[in-house]
Amino acid sequence: MLPLENKTAIVTGASRGIGRAIALRLAGEGATLVVTATSVEGARNTASAIVEAGGKARAAAVNVAEFSQVDSLLKETKDTEGSIDILVNNAGITRDNLLLRMSQEQWDEVLAVNLKGTFNCIRAASKVLMKQRAGKIINITSVVGVMGNAGQANYCASKAGVIGLTKSVARELAPRNIQVNAVAPGFIATDMTADLPEDVKDGLLGSIPLGRLGEARDVAAVVSFLASPDSDYITGQVLHVDGGMAM
Ligand code: NAI
């Protein structure tokens, strides 16, 4: 029997990059996947890849910043699948700028998706998980939420917020046997980092002890551990997958 057989997992922002790698990995371990992204085509693309590989998945378009959309998806998932066992809050965006040039919109958009979006999903899932007296919530934060990064005040604040949210909810839900943890990737080769100028990339490599960017699968492997029964005694933690950047 596969480790996540009979488990239902929701992954937000799973059309590409890290979210897609997480969805594929959890499905490969037997979970039934609800693949979400802002566009239904993006979500379908990942769901089809899972089904083609012999897994179980369906696709849904959800903007995590909108509580009503998230709440409907969670209710629908509970009704059709019977349970929600794993929630991975991966959806995230960047709107980088130096502080003095950062607009209200750039600040608000990033906070709305990265921090409020994570809260929305946890809030909508929590009733179901509490009734089940079991569940795993995994939030994707970032190394820069711990270290800070010039030009990313909005993004770093949102990711630091996700860490505080993770620890608070971990304490609240622990009596119901729900584990809540965060994964903090360093620089991972995805669309989000593809646009970085070469000189910035070179500078970055110098700050990574392992001397390379990470792969989406490096993050997916740690999420899969936190989704599995092997991590049942771990809650409120931030696991860094950053090649040693923050230590
Ligand atoms: P990406 O840009 O390749 O993918 C982001 C995903 O989020 C897409 O599927 C997109 O549709 C979805 N999304 C965006 N706004 C959304 C919304 N309002 N509602 C629902 N879905 C939405 O990004 P990547 O690199 O795969 O990042 C995934 C997560 O990992 C993000 O939370 C990011 O902040 C975090 N991260 C990424 C790092 C990297 O180096 N790539 C480093 C540290 C953290």
Side-chain angles (χ1 to χ4, degrees), residues 107-182:
W107 176 270
D108 289 343
E109 271 183 63
V110 168
L111 270 289
V113 175
N114 298 6
L115 184 54
K116 185 155 186 257
T118 302
F119 163 76
N120 284 342
C121 295
I122 294 176
R123 176 73 179 75
S126 58
K127 258 194 194 165
V128 177
L129 301 188
M130 285 169 86
K131 261 197 200 150
Q132 289 173 180
R133 292 189 167 269
K136 304 273 192 183
I137 299 175
I138 300 137
N139 301 322
I140 307 301
T141 174
S142 170
V143 68
V144 298
V146 175
M147 298 176 75
N149 197 22
Q152 290 196 307
N154 50 358
Y155 183 77
C156 298
S158 73
K159 293 299 189 180
V162 166
I163 293 175
L165 175 64
T166 300
K167 293 181 180 179
S168 303
V169 176
R171 287 184 187 278
E172 281 191 40
L173 300 186
R176 302 288 182 119
N177 188 36
I178 297 160
Q179 291 82 23
V180 188
N181 291 291

Side-chain angles (χ1 to χ4, degrees), residues 13 15-16 18 38 62-64 90 141 155 159 186 188 190 193:
S15 60
R16 55 175 196 257
I18 295 172
T38 33
V62 176
N63 177 357
V64 294
N90 166 80
T141 174
Y155 183 77
K159 293 299 189 180
I188 308 296
T190 68
T193 46

Side-chain angles (χ1 to χ4, degrees), residues 61-243:
V62 176
N63 177 357
V64 294
E66 297 292 336
F67 181 74
S68 58
Q69 290 185 23
V70 172
D71 201 38
S72 305
L73 174 79
L74 271 285
K75 284 191 177 123
E76 199 186 301
T77 304
K78 164 78 179 134
D79 291 346
T80 49
E81 306 300 337
S83 68
I84 298 167
D85 306 289
I86 301 156
L87 167 67
V88 183
N89 290 305
N90 166 80
I93 58 168
T94 51
R95 297 286 182 268
D96 299 349
N97 223 335
L98 290 171
L99 180 70
L100 284 179
R101 297 201 196 119
M102 188 171 288
S103 66
Q104 298 283 318
E105 289 74 24
Q106 286 175 322
W107 176 270
D108 289 343
E109 271 183 63
V110 168
L111 270 289
V113 175
N114 298 6
L115 184 54
K116 185 155 186 257
T118 302
F119 163 76
N120 284 342
C121 295
I122 294 176
R123 176 73 179 75
S126 58
K127 258 194 194 165
V128 177
L129 301 188
M130 285 169 86
K131 261 197 200 150
Q132 289 173 180
R133 292 189 167 269
K136 304 273 192 183
I137 299 175
I138 300 137
N139 301 322
I140 307 301
T141 174
S142 170
V143 68
V144 298
V146 175
M147 298 176 75
N149 197 22
Q152 290 196 307
N154 50 358
Y155 183 77
C156 298
S158 73
K159 293 299 189 180
V162 166
I163 293 175
L165 175 64
T166 300
K167 293 181 180 179
S168 303
V169 176
R171 287 184 187 278
E172 281 191 40
L173 300 186
R176 302 288 182 119
N177 188 36
I178 297 160
Q179 291 82 23
V180 188
N181 291 291
V183 175
F187 286 90
I188 308 296
T190 68
D191 287 357
M192 196 177 260
T193 46
D195 294 340
L196 290 174
E198 280 310 311
D199 58 325
V200 175
K201 265 193 200 162
D202 288 347
L204 271 175
L205 288 178
S207 69
I208 305 171
L210 286 179
R212 64 170 177 90
L213 293 193
E215 301 290 335
R217 65 169 179 275
D218 296 324
V219 181
V222 174
V223 171
S224 133
F225 165 65
L226 290 174
S228 79
D230 286 345
S231 63
D232 278 354
Y233 201 54
I234 300 177
T235 199
Q237 301 304 306
V238 182
L239 290 192
H240 282 258
V241 183
D242 63 8

